[in-house]
């Protein structure tokens, strides 16, 4: 029983594509959040909607940043 080399779940050649797609989706959520904040009155805003959109924006932007660093070869 010999040891096998570690195979990542995502191939390294796809890191740059994932970085672009995830960052784009994150910016879409971010722009929706900003537009929602500007167009809605203070009485019409929903805290649950703000938190959910903010959560999705932060998840996608952080994942896009992570894959950007991995695509550039920055390992921490």
């Amino acid at each position: 029983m010999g040891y096998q080399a570690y195979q990542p779940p995502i191939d390294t050649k796809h890191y740059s594509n994932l970085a672009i797609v995830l960052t784009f989706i994150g910016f879409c959520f971010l722009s929706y959040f900003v537009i929602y904040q500007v167009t809605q009155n203070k009485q019409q805003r929903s805290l649950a909607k703000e938190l959910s959109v903010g959560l999705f924006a932060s998840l996608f932007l952080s994942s896009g940043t992570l894959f950007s660093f991995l695509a550039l070869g920055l390992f921490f």
Side-chain angles (χ1 to χ4, degrees), residues 1 4 9 14 27 29 33 37 39 41 44 48-49 51 53-54 60 68:
M1 181 169 154
Q4 295 179 0
H14 298 297
F27 277 124
F29 276 112
F33 181 78
Q37 290 293 320
T39 58
N41 292 333
Q44 294 175 336
K49 190 172 189 178
L51 288 175
V53 172
F60 280 108
S68 295

Side-chain angles (χ1 to χ4, degrees), residues 24-37:
F24 177 74
I25 294 171
F27 277 124
C28 289
F29 276 112
L30 179 66
S31 63
Y32 177 74
F33 181 78
V34 170
I35 290 170
Y36 180 76
Q37 290 293 320

Side-chain angles (χ1 to χ4, degrees), residues 5-27:
Y6 173 74
Q7 294 293 326
I10 300 171
D11 194 16
T12 56
K13 64 182 176 182
H14 298 297
Y15 285 167
S16 59
N17 292 335
L18 276 171
I20 292 169
V21 169
L22 291 172
T23 305
F24 177 74
I25 294 171
F27 277 124

